[in-house]
Amino acid sequence: MKVNGSDLQSKLNVYQTAQVQGKPSKATQSEKAEASTPQQDRVAFSRRGRSIADAQRAMASVPDVRESLVSRIRDDLQNGTYVIDKQKAAEGILRESMVNQAAMM
């Protein structure tokens, strides 16, 4: 609310009169009512939003690194017993290359 000139004086007069009489003005009463009743924010998620949130929580609980697999491969490498399946490696490289090319089209 913009208060200027004579408007300012009239507002001050109302306020001063209310203080002298001990009665709060209507504006003051409504402000007190709003202050005594706290407003609560509420959020409602759609079913899809809840599903996405559930999926995110599930993914957060899965470790980024499979420690048991890394440990087993590390041990095999140190012992010299790790065997690379060249055919499987080549297939994986080609598959990834095809997926990347398809994504660029």
Side-chain angles (χ1 to χ4, degrees), residues 14-87:
V14 170
Y15 179 72
Q16 288 172 348
T17 303
Q19 279 190 330
V20 170
Q21 294 175 354
K23 296 180 181 177
S25 67
K26 288 183 181 179
T28 307
Q29 289 173 348
S30 66
E31 288 173 5
K32 284 184 180 179
E34 288 177 12
S36 66
T37 308
Q39 296 290 329
Q40 294 183 354
D41 294 333
R42 290 189 289 169
V43 177
F45 293 106
S46 67
R47 184 176 301 159
R48 183 173 184 213
R50 287 190 300 268
S51 295
I52 291 170
D54 291 342
Q56 287 175 332
R57 280 192 292 276
M59 289 299 296
S61 67
V62 175
D64 291 335
V65 178
R66 294 184 289 176
E67 293 293 333
S68 61
L69 178 62
V70 171
S71 178
R72 191 182 81 226
I73 293 172
R74 182 182 302 123
D75 291 343
D76 288 347
L77 284 170
Q78 288 174 349
N79 297 333
T81 58
Y82 185 73
V83 178
I84 297 173
D85 184 349
K86 295 175 184 112
Q87 181 69 31

Side-chain angles (χ1 to χ4, degrees), residues 1-17:
M1 178 173 98
K2 184 175 181 181
V3 179
N4 55 17
S6 62
D7 237 10
L8 176 62
Q9 189 58 48
S10 68
K11 301 295 182 196
L12 287 174
N13 288 340
V14 170
Y15 179 72
Q16 288 172 348
T17 303

